[in-house]
Amino acid sequence: MLTDKHIVVIGGDARQLEIIRKLSALDAKITLVGFDQLNDGFIGASKQTINEVDWSTVDAIFLPISGMSMEGKVDTIFSDETIELTGEQLKETPDHCVVYSGITNSRLDSCVNEAKRELVLLMDRDDIAIYNSIPTAEGAIMMAIQHMEITIHGAEVAVLGLGRIGMTVARTFDALGAKVSVGARESRDIARITEMGLKPFYIEDIGKALRNVDLCINTIPALVLTANVLAEMPLHALIIDLASKPGGTDFRYAEKRGMKALLAPGLPGIVAPKTAGQILADVLTVLLEE
Ligand code: NAP
């Protein structure tokens, strides 16, 4: 139980509702900032503006998955209020107060460093990334169905990267009957791809490997689908780029060549906000109870 813990949830999207629901069930004292348009009456939760929060009693602060902007603003879909979190506010919290965010940037880093508070990045955690790969792969299936004229079954699908997302995506498309090849740069990953019964290729051979693809799903957060590579791909090939912004595709060149290339960030929150929220809530409550 989280009785007597004071947790401030600042901004976010539908995923935060699952977190708030779970915190509420665990008897935490919850302050919601940026939720004035939310009608759900969560037990133990009070809505405040950022300037009304009594930081001196706060044990934990939850920021959205996106963290904060370089201007220090925190996004919320439940309010028109502009929310800005500063190092000065964090300094008012007790020393043990922990800040949780999906990702960070130099602005958030300097805020928490200035206040000497701990920052926990949820998206750096393997457990969350692997759980999140499930709704991400389902989102990729949704996009493939929406944008391809052929079935996934029997399609030539190339997955770039065998990380936490790439492995789930490759396995999922294989299970749907696609002919899946996977590009990686390490020989251990080439061995793993072979073991999975899929066709491996080294990323350095990407041009040749993509000559016959119907669908290419990129999970590598680096420019791998360059103009040179795109120029060798079939014109009908669909590109779904799952890597975080700006993705790994030369989108300007893809458009110029008339290829359909889609950057698809934040799929878990779009296709399965409840599941994505539950994934976060489960891990967060374990961290808080620790
Ligand atoms: P990950 O586990 O770190 O995997 C990244 C993969 O990219 C690894 O196979 C890595 O290979 C490879 N890689 C990285 N840089 C490379 C380079 N320069 N050349 C060749 N290969 C390279 O990351 P992840 O959790 O799978 O996430 C992948 C991306 O998807 C991230 O950008 C993440 O933010 C994003 N993401 C998107 C969604 C969405 O909804 N679209 C959801 C979750 C995550 P090595 O092992 O050899 O380094």
Side-chain angles (χ1 to χ4, degrees), residues 129 132 136 160-166 184-186 188-189 203 219-222 224 241-244 264-268:
N132 256 337
T136 306
L160 306 180
L162 190 73
R164 296 162 301 188
I165 304 287
R185 59 182 171 181
E186 297 290 342
R188 61 148 203 261
D189 290 333
I203 282 294
T219 74
I220 298 177
V224 278
D241 198 333
L242 299 178
S244 51
L267 287 176

PDB file of all heavy atoms in Angstrom, residues 129 132 136 160-166 184-186 188-189 203 219-222 224 241-244 264-268, ligand 1:
ATOM      1  N   ALA A 129      10.096  -1.450 -21.694  1.00  0.00           N
ATOM      2  CA  ALA A 129      10.313  -1.444 -23.159  1.00  0.00           C
ATOM      3  C   ALA A 129       9.810  -2.748 -23.778  1.00  0.00           C
ATOM      4  O   ALA A 129       9.203  -2.737 -24.856  1.00  0.00           O
ATOM      5  CB  ALA A 129      11.790  -1.235 -23.458  1.00  0.00           C
ATOM      6  N   ASN A 132       6.021  -2.842 -23.611  1.00  0.00           N
ATOM      7  CA  ASN A 132       5.510  -1.860 -24.575  1.00  0.00           C
ATOM      8  C   ASN A 132       5.663  -2.328 -26.023  1.00  0.00           C
ATOM      9  O   ASN A 132       4.979  -1.835 -26.915  1.00  0.00           O
ATOM     10  CB  ASN A 132       6.287  -0.549 -24.429  1.00  0.00           C
ATOM     11  CG  ASN A 132       5.483   0.499 -23.697  1.00  0.00           C
ATOM     12  OD1 ASN A 132       4.263   0.438 -23.668  1.00  0.00           O
ATOM     13  ND2 ASN A 132       6.163   1.452 -23.106  1.00  0.00           N
ATOM     14  N   THR A 136       3.159  -1.923 -29.431  1.00  0.00           N
ATOM     15  CA  THR A 136       3.847  -1.285 -30.571  1.00  0.00           C
ATOM     16  C   THR A 136       3.739  -2.187 -31.804  1.00  0.00           C
ATOM     17  O   THR A 136       3.431  -1.716 -32.908  1.00  0.00           O
ATOM     18  CB  THR A 136       5.332  -1.019 -30.242  1.00  0.00           C
ATOM     19  OG1 THR A 136       5.411  -0.276 -29.033  1.00  0.00           O
ATOM     20  CG2 THR A 136       6.012  -0.244 -31.354  1.00  0.00           C
ATOM     21  N   LEU A 160      14.206  -3.701 -39.361  1.00  0.00           N
ATOM     22  CA  LEU A 160      15.555  -3.187 -39.130  1.00  0.00           C
ATOM     23  C   LEU A 160      15.776  -3.040 -37.629  1.00  0.00           C
ATOM     24  O   LEU A 160      15.045  -2.310 -36.960  1.00  0.00           O
ATOM     25  CB  LEU A 160      15.731  -1.836 -39.834  1.00  0.00           C
ATOM     26  CG  LEU A 160      15.389  -1.822 -41.326  1.00  0.00           C
ATOM     27  CD1 LEU A 160      15.606  -0.431 -41.914  1.00  0.00           C
ATOM     28  CD2 LEU A 160      16.225  -2.861 -42.085  1.00  0.00           C
ATOM     29  N   GLY A 161      16.753  -3.778 -37.095  1.00  0.00           N
ATOM     30  CA  GLY A 161      17.058  -3.746 -35.665  1.00  0.00           C
ATOM     31  C   GLY A 161      16.459  -4.942 -34.952  1.00  0.00           C
ATOM     32  O   GLY A 161      15.321  -5.340 -35.242  1.00  0.00           O
ATOM     33  N   LEU A 162      17.253  -5.548 -34.060  1.00  0.00           N
ATOM     34  CA  LEU A 162      16.749  -6.672 -33.257  1.00  0.00           C
ATOM     35  C   LEU A 162      16.853  -6.311 -31.781  1.00  0.00           C
ATOM     36  O   LEU A 162      17.374  -7.057 -30.968  1.00  0.00           O
ATOM     37  CB  LEU A 162      17.516  -7.973 -33.563  1.00  0.00           C
ATOM     38  CG  LEU A 162      16.887  -9.234 -32.952  1.00  0.00           C
ATOM     39  CD1 LEU A 162      15.627  -9.641 -33.688  1.00  0.00           C
ATOM     40  CD2 LEU A 162      17.881 -10.399 -32.920  1.00  0.00           C
ATOM     41  N   GLY A 163      16.392  -5.121 -31.446  1.00  0.00           N
ATOM     42  CA  GLY A 163      16.342  -4.718 -30.046  1.00  0.00           C
ATOM     43  C   GLY A 163      15.025  -5.185 -29.454  1.00  0.00           C
ATOM     44  O   GLY A 163      14.410  -6.146 -29.931  1.00  0.00           O
ATOM     45  N   ARG A 164      14.571  -4.459 -28.433  1.00  0.00           N
ATOM     46  CA  ARG A 164      13.374  -4.890 -27.718  1.00  0.00           C
ATOM     47  C   ARG A 164      12.136  -4.786 -28.601  1.00  0.00           C
ATOM     48  O   ARG A 164      11.258  -5.653 -28.577  1.00  0.00           O
ATOM     49  CB  ARG A 164      13.248  -4.063 -26.441  1.00  0.00           C
ATOM     50  CG  ARG A 164      14.423  -4.338 -25.511  1.00  0.00           C
ATOM     51  CD  ARG A 164      14.620  -3.301 -24.472  1.00  0.00           C
ATOM     52  NE  ARG A 164      14.848  -1.978 -25.007  1.00  0.00           N
ATOM     53  CZ  ARG A 164      15.191  -0.918 -24.297  1.00  0.00           C
ATOM     54  NH1 ARG A 164      15.349  -1.036 -22.993  1.00  0.00           N
ATOM     55  NH2 ARG A 164      15.373   0.257 -24.850  1.00  0.00           N
ATOM     56  N   ILE A 165      12.059  -3.745 -29.423  1.00  0.00           N
ATOM     57  CA  ILE A 165      10.918  -3.597 -30.325  1.00  0.00           C
ATOM     58  C   ILE A 165      11.093  -4.505 -31.551  1.00  0.00           C
ATOM     59  O   ILE A 165      10.160  -5.206 -31.960  1.00  0.00           O
ATOM     60  CB  ILE A 165      10.784  -2.123 -30.810  1.00  0.00           C
ATOM     61  CG1 ILE A 165      10.670  -1.169 -29.621  1.00  0.00           C
ATOM     62  CG2 ILE A 165       9.610  -1.968 -31.772  1.00  0.00           C
ATOM     63  CD1 ILE A 165       9.379  -1.185 -28.896  1.00  0.00           C
ATOM     64  N   GLY A 166      12.288  -4.476 -32.119  1.00  0.00           N
ATOM     65  CA  GLY A 166      12.532  -5.223 -33.360  1.00  0.00           C
ATOM     66  C   GLY A 166      12.243  -6.704 -33.200  1.00  0.00           C
ATOM     67  O   GLY A 166      11.623  -7.327 -34.071  1.00  0.00           O
ATOM     68  N   ALA A 184      20.625  -6.494 -38.731  1.00  0.00           N
ATOM     69  CA  ALA A 184      21.311  -6.149 -37.484  1.00  0.00           C
ATOM     70  C   ALA A 184      22.786  -5.943 -37.806  1.00  0.00           C
ATOM     71  O   ALA A 184      23.246  -6.277 -38.900  1.00  0.00           O
ATOM     72  CB  ALA A 184      21.119  -7.259 -36.459  1.00  0.00           C
ATOM     73  N   ARG A 185      23.532  -5.388 -36.809  1.00  0.00           N
ATOM     74  CA  ARG A 185      24.944  -5.123 -37.102  1.00  0.00           C
ATOM     75  C   ARG A 185      25.885  -6.050 -36.356  1.00  0.00           C
ATOM     76  O   ARG A 185      27.067  -6.103 -36.662  1.00  0.00           O
ATOM     77  CB  ARG A 185      25.288  -3.679 -36.797  1.00  0.00           C
ATOM     78  CG  ARG A 185      25.049  -3.252 -35.364  1.00  0.00           C
ATOM     79  CD  ARG A 185      25.386  -1.789 -35.170  1.00  0.00           C
ATOM     80  NE  ARG A 185      24.967  -1.338 -33.850  1.00  0.00           N
ATOM     81  CZ  ARG A 185      25.109  -0.106 -33.407  1.00  0.00           C
ATOM     82  NH1 ARG A 185      25.638   0.807 -34.187  1.00  0.00           N
ATOM     83  NH2 ARG A 185      24.703   0.223 -32.205  1.00  0.00           N
ATOM     84  N   GLU A 186      25.368  -6.759 -35.341  1.00  0.00           N
ATOM     85  CA  GLU A 186      26.228  -7.641 -34.542  1.00  0.00           C
ATOM     86  C   GLU A 186      26.030  -9.095 -34.951  1.00  0.00           C
ATOM     87  O   GLU A 186      24.894  -9.532 -35.183  1.00  0.00           O
ATOM     88  CB  GLU A 186      25.873  -7.505 -33.047  1.00  0.00           C
ATOM     89  CG  GLU A 186      26.099  -6.128 -32.462  1.00  0.00           C
ATOM     90  CD  GLU A 186      27.582  -5.777 -32.329  1.00  0.00           C
ATOM     91  OE1 GLU A 186      28.427  -6.699 -32.360  1.00  0.00           O
ATOM     92  OE2 GLU A 186      27.879  -4.567 -32.192  1.00  0.00           O
ATOM     93  N   ARG A 188      26.150 -11.678 -33.153  1.00  0.00           N
ATOM     94  CA  ARG A 188      25.293 -12.433 -32.207  1.00  0.00           C
ATOM     95  C   ARG A 188      23.822 -12.260 -32.581  1.00  0.00           C
ATOM     96  O   ARG A 188      23.013 -13.172 -32.443  1.00  0.00           O
ATOM     97  CB  ARG A 188      25.563 -12.039 -30.755  1.00  0.00           C
ATOM     98  CG  ARG A 188      25.301 -10.606 -30.408  1.00  0.00           C
ATOM     99  CD  ARG A 188      24.822 -10.317 -29.010  1.00  0.00           C
ATOM    100  NE  ARG A 188      24.149  -9.028 -29.123  1.00  0.00           N
ATOM    101  CZ  ARG A 188      24.704  -7.866 -28.802  1.00  0.00           C
ATOM    102  NH1 ARG A 188      25.911  -7.822 -28.314  1.00  0.00           N
ATOM    103  NH2 ARG A 188      24.042  -6.748 -28.980  1.00  0.00           N
ATOM    104  N   ASP A 189      23.456 -11.074 -33.072  1.00  0.00           N
ATOM    105  CA  ASP A 189      22.070 -10.860 -33.484  1.00  0.00           C
ATOM    106  C   ASP A 189      21.756 -11.614 -34.780  1.00  0.00           C
ATOM    107  O   ASP A 189      20.648 -12.130 -34.961  1.00  0.00           O
ATOM    108  CB  ASP A 189      21.790  -9.357 -33.666  1.00  0.00           C
ATOM    109  CG  ASP A 189      21.777  -8.616 -32.335  1.00  0.00           C
ATOM    110  OD1 ASP A 189      21.461  -9.262 -31.311  1.00  0.00           O
ATOM    111  OD2 ASP A 189      22.087  -7.414 -32.311  1.00  0.00           O
ATOM    112  N   ILE A 203      23.298  -4.910 -41.504  1.00  0.00           N
ATOM    113  CA  ILE A 203      22.814  -3.572 -41.855  1.00  0.00           C
ATOM    114  C   ILE A 203      23.665  -2.944 -42.967  1.00  0.00           C
ATOM    115  O   ILE A 203      23.156  -2.219 -43.805  1.00  0.00           O
ATOM    116  CB  ILE A 203      22.768  -2.675 -40.589  1.00  0.00           C
ATOM    117  CG1 ILE A 203      21.532  -3.024 -39.765  1.00  0.00           C
ATOM    118  CG2 ILE A 203      22.763  -1.188 -40.923  1.00  0.00           C
ATOM    119  CD1 ILE A 203      20.178  -2.713 -40.414  1.00  0.00           C
ATOM    120  N   THR A 219      13.264   0.005 -36.658  1.00  0.00           N
ATOM    121  CA  THR A 219      13.288   0.257 -35.200  1.00  0.00           C
ATOM    122  C   THR A 219      14.633   0.854 -34.788  1.00  0.00           C
ATOM    123  O   THR A 219      14.892   1.012 -33.595  1.00  0.00           O
ATOM    124  CB  THR A 219      13.034  -1.033 -34.389  1.00  0.00           C
ATOM    125  OG1 THR A 219      14.194  -1.868 -34.437  1.00  0.00           O
ATOM    126  CG2 THR A 219      11.836  -1.804 -34.867  1.00  0.00           C
ATOM    127  N   ILE A 220      15.492   1.158 -35.747  1.00  0.00           N
ATOM    128  CA  ILE A 220      16.826   1.679 -35.418  1.00  0.00           C
ATOM    129  C   ILE A 220      16.780   3.206 -35.331  1.00  0.00           C
ATOM    130  O   ILE A 220      16.389   3.873 -36.290  1.00  0.00           O
ATOM    131  CB  ILE A 220      17.862   1.242 -36.490  1.00  0.00           C
ATOM    132  CG1 ILE A 220      17.969  -0.283 -36.514  1.00  0.00           C
ATOM    133  CG2 ILE A 220      19.214   1.892 -36.232  1.00  0.00           C
ATOM    134  CD1 ILE A 220      18.903  -0.831 -37.575  1.00  0.00           C
ATOM    135  N   PRO A 221      17.150   3.753 -34.168  1.00  0.00           N
ATOM    136  CA  PRO A 221      17.091   5.211 -34.022  1.00  0.00           C
ATOM    137  C   PRO A 221      18.312   5.907 -34.625  1.00  0.00           C
ATOM    138  O   PRO A 221      19.043   6.607 -33.938  1.00  0.00           O
ATOM    139  CB  PRO A 221      17.012   5.398 -32.500  1.00  0.00           C
ATOM    140  CG  PRO A 221      17.665   4.188 -31.934  1.00  0.00           C
ATOM    141  CD  PRO A 221      17.539   3.065 -32.918  1.00  0.00           C
ATOM    142  N   ALA A 222      18.561   5.657 -35.896  1.00  0.00           N
ATOM    143  CA  ALA A 222      19.672   6.303 -36.615  1.00  0.00           C
ATOM    144  C   ALA A 222      19.293   6.267 -38.097  1.00  0.00           C
ATOM    145  O   ALA A 222      18.506   5.402 -38.513  1.00  0.00           O
ATOM    146  CB  ALA A 222      20.968   5.542 -36.374  1.00  0.00           C
ATOM    147  N   VAL A 224      19.139   5.048 -41.247  1.00  0.00           N
ATOM    148  CA  VAL A 224      19.535   3.826 -41.962  1.00  0.00           C
ATOM    149  C   VAL A 224      18.871   3.759 -43.336  1.00  0.00           C
ATOM    150  O   VAL A 224      19.438   3.240 -44.288  1.00  0.00           O
ATOM    151  CB  VAL A 224      19.205   2.551 -41.155  1.00  0.00           C
ATOM    152  CG1 VAL A 224      20.270   2.275 -40.116  1.00  0.00           C
ATOM    153  CG2 VAL A 224      17.845   2.623 -40.503  1.00  0.00           C
ATOM    154  N   ASP A 241       8.153   3.594 -39.808  1.00  0.00           N
ATOM    155  CA  ASP A 241       9.332   3.916 -39.014  1.00  0.00           C
ATOM    156  C   ASP A 241       8.923   4.068 -37.550  1.00  0.00           C
ATOM    157  O   ASP A 241       8.239   5.020 -37.173  1.00  0.00           O
ATOM    158  CB  ASP A 241       9.974   5.214 -39.531  1.00  0.00           C
ATOM    159  CG  ASP A 241      11.408   5.350 -39.060  1.00  0.00           C
ATOM    160  OD1 ASP A 241      11.731   4.780 -37.995  1.00  0.00           O
ATOM    161  OD2 ASP A 241      12.198   6.011 -39.748  1.00  0.00           O
ATOM    162  N   LEU A 242       9.326   3.099 -36.736  1.00  0.00           N
ATOM    163  CA  LEU A 242       8.934   3.098 -35.318  1.00  0.00           C
ATOM    164  C   LEU A 242       9.954   3.801 -34.432  1.00  0.00           C
ATOM    165  O   LEU A 242       9.674   4.070 -33.262  1.00  0.00           O
ATOM    166  CB  LEU A 242       8.780   1.648 -34.834  1.00  0.00           C
ATOM    167  CG  LEU A 242       7.733   0.791 -35.543  1.00  0.00           C
ATOM    168  CD1 LEU A 242       7.751  -0.626 -34.970  1.00  0.00           C
ATOM    169  CD2 LEU A 242       6.346   1.389 -35.395  1.00  0.00           C
ATOM    170  N   ALA A 243      11.131   4.084 -34.976  1.00  0.00           N
ATOM    171  CA  ALA A 243      12.179   4.696 -34.147  1.00  0.00           C
ATOM    172  C   ALA A 243      11.737   6.081 -33.691  1.00  0.00           C
ATOM    173  O   ALA A 243      10.974   6.769 -34.380  1.00  0.00           O
ATOM    174  CB  ALA A 243      13.475   4.773 -34.922  1.00  0.00           C
ATOM    175  N   SER A 244      12.239   6.485 -32.518  1.00  0.00           N
ATOM    176  CA  SER A 244      11.820   7.783 -31.982  1.00  0.00           C
ATOM    177  C   SER A 244      12.239   8.908 -32.929  1.00  0.00           C
ATOM    178  O   SER A 244      13.173   8.763 -33.722  1.00  0.00           O
ATOM    179  CB  SER A 244      12.422   7.984 -30.595  1.00  0.00           C
ATOM    180  OG  SER A 244      13.810   7.741 -30.646  1.00  0.00           O
ATOM    181  N   ALA A 264       5.867   6.632 -37.038  1.00  0.00           N
ATOM    182  CA  ALA A 264       4.763   6.206 -36.168  1.00  0.00           C
ATOM    183  C   ALA A 264       5.175   6.193 -34.711  1.00  0.00           C
ATOM    184  O   ALA A 264       5.373   5.131 -34.113  1.00  0.00           O
ATOM    185  CB  ALA A 264       4.290   4.821 -36.614  1.00  0.00           C
ATOM    186  N   PRO A 265       5.312   7.357 -34.092  1.00  0.00           N
ATOM    187  CA  PRO A 265       5.719   7.381 -32.679  1.00  0.00           C
ATOM    188  C   PRO A 265       4.543   7.099 -31.744  1.00  0.00           C
ATOM    189  O   PRO A 265       3.377   7.222 -32.141  1.00  0.00           O
ATOM    190  CB  PRO A 265       6.217   8.816 -32.492  1.00  0.00           C
ATOM    191  CG  PRO A 265       5.454   9.619 -33.484  1.00  0.00           C
ATOM    192  CD  PRO A 265       5.074   8.708 -34.630  1.00  0.00           C
ATOM    193  N   GLY A 266       4.856   6.702 -30.533  1.00  0.00           N
ATOM    194  CA  GLY A 266       3.837   6.595 -29.477  1.00  0.00           C
ATOM    195  C   GLY A 266       2.701   5.628 -29.759  1.00  0.00           C
ATOM    196  O   GLY A 266       1.572   5.851 -29.321  1.00  0.00           O
ATOM    197  N   LEU A 267       2.975   4.517 -30.453  1.00  0.00           N
ATOM    198  CA  LEU A 267       1.878   3.593 -30.787  1.00  0.00           C
ATOM    199  C   LEU A 267       1.186   2.980 -29.561  1.00  0.00           C
ATOM    200  O   LEU A 267      -0.043   2.871 -29.558  1.00  0.00           O
ATOM    201  CB  LEU A 267       2.366   2.482 -31.727  1.00  0.00           C
ATOM    202  CG  LEU A 267       2.618   2.929 -33.167  1.00  0.00           C
ATOM    203  CD1 LEU A 267       3.182   1.773 -33.985  1.00  0.00           C
ATOM    204  CD2 LEU A 267       1.341   3.450 -33.813  1.00  0.00           C
ATOM    205  N   PRO A 268       1.918   2.601 -28.496  1.00  0.00           N
ATOM    206  CA  PRO A 268       1.202   2.008 -27.358  1.00  0.00           C
ATOM    207  C   PRO A 268       0.095   2.919 -26.826  1.00  0.00           C
ATOM    208  O   PRO A 268      -1.005   2.461 -26.532  1.00  0.00           O
ATOM    209  CB  PRO A 268       2.305   1.795 -26.313  1.00  0.00           C
ATOM    210  CG  PRO A 268       3.551   1.661 -27.109  1.00  0.00           C
ATOM    211  CD  PRO A 268       3.375   2.593 -28.281  1.00  0.00           C
TER     212      PRO A 268
HETATM  213  P1  NAP B   1      16.770  -1.034 -28.433  1.00  0.00           P
HETATM  214  O1  NAP B   1      16.370  -2.225 -27.655  1.00  0.00           O
HETATM  215  O2  NAP B   1      17.897  -0.192 -27.964  1.00  0.00           O
HETATM  216  O3  NAP B   1      17.076  -1.508 -29.941  1.00  0.00           O
HETATM  217  C1  NAP B   1      17.609  -0.643 -30.888  1.00  0.00           C
HETATM  218  C2  NAP B   1      18.160  -1.473 -32.036  1.00  0.00           C
HETATM  219  O4  NAP B   1      18.736  -0.554 -32.981  1.00  0.00           O
HETATM  220  C3  NAP B   1      19.250  -2.445 -31.640  1.00  0.00           C
HETATM  221  O5  NAP B   1      19.109  -3.599 -32.425  1.00  0.00           O
HETATM  222  C4  NAP B   1      20.535  -1.685 -32.014  1.00  0.00           C
HETATM  223  O6  NAP B   1      21.600  -2.521 -32.349  1.00  0.00           O
HETATM  224  C5  NAP B   1      20.076  -0.978 -33.245  1.00  0.00           C
HETATM  225  N1  NAP B   1      20.889   0.180 -33.565  1.00  0.00           N
HETATM  226  C6  NAP B   1      21.004   1.317 -32.852  1.00  0.00           C
HETATM  227  N2  NAP B   1      21.785   2.203 -33.498  1.00  0.00           N
HETATM  228  C7  NAP B   1      22.175   1.589 -34.636  1.00  0.00           C
HETATM  229  C8  NAP B   1      22.989   1.966 -35.727  1.00  0.00           C
HETATM  230  N3  NAP B   1      23.574   3.186 -35.776  1.00  0.00           N
HETATM  231  N4  NAP B   1      23.162   1.091 -36.745  1.00  0.00           N
HETATM  232  C9  NAP B   1      22.602  -0.125 -36.710  1.00  0.00           C
HETATM  233  N5  NAP B   1      21.812  -0.554 -35.694  1.00  0.00           N
HETATM  234  C10 NAP B   1      21.611   0.291 -34.683  1.00  0.00           C
HETATM  235  O7  NAP B   1      15.564  -0.040 -28.602  1.00  0.00           O
HETATM  236  P2  NAP B   1      14.015  -0.436 -28.643  1.00  0.00           P
HETATM  237  O8  NAP B   1      13.460  -0.453 -27.279  1.00  0.00           O
HETATM  238  O9  NAP B   1      13.848  -1.649 -29.509  1.00  0.00           O
HETATM  239  O10 NAP B   1      13.408   0.843 -29.362  1.00  0.00           O
HETATM  240  C11 NAP B   1      13.719   1.103 -30.715  1.00  0.00           C
HETATM  241  C12 NAP B   1      13.181   2.463 -31.104  1.00  0.00           C
HETATM  242  O11 NAP B   1      11.771   2.424 -31.075  1.00  0.00           O
HETATM  243  C13 NAP B   1      13.590   3.590 -30.152  1.00  0.00           C
HETATM  244  O12 NAP B   1      13.839   4.743 -30.903  1.00  0.00           O
HETATM  245  C14 NAP B   1      12.361   3.775 -29.282  1.00  0.00           C
HETATM  246  O13 NAP B   1      12.271   5.091 -28.750  1.00  0.00           O
HETATM  247  C15 NAP B   1      11.283   3.516 -30.294  1.00  0.00           C
HETATM  248  N6  NAP B   1       9.962   3.154 -29.779  1.00  0.00           N
HETATM  249  C16 NAP B   1       8.924   3.483 -30.548  1.00  0.00           C
HETATM  250  C17 NAP B   1       7.651   3.129 -30.197  1.00  0.00           C
HETATM  251  C18 NAP B   1       6.528   3.515 -31.107  1.00  0.00           C
HETATM  252  O14 NAP B   1       5.383   3.478 -30.686  1.00  0.00           O
HETATM  253  N7  NAP B   1       6.811   3.876 -32.342  1.00  0.00           N
HETATM  254  C19 NAP B   1       7.409   2.429 -29.009  1.00  0.00           C
HETATM  255  C20 NAP B   1       8.504   2.098 -28.216  1.00  0.00           C
HETATM  256  C21 NAP B   1       9.789   2.460 -28.615  1.00  0.00           C
HETATM  257  P3  NAP B   1      22.797  -2.833 -31.315  1.00  0.00           P
HETATM  258  O15 NAP B   1      22.215  -3.780 -30.309  1.00  0.00           O
HETATM  259  O16 NAP B   1      23.827  -3.427 -32.193  1.00  0.00           O
HETATM  260  O17 NAP B   1      23.189  -1.516 -30.708  1.00  0.00           O
END
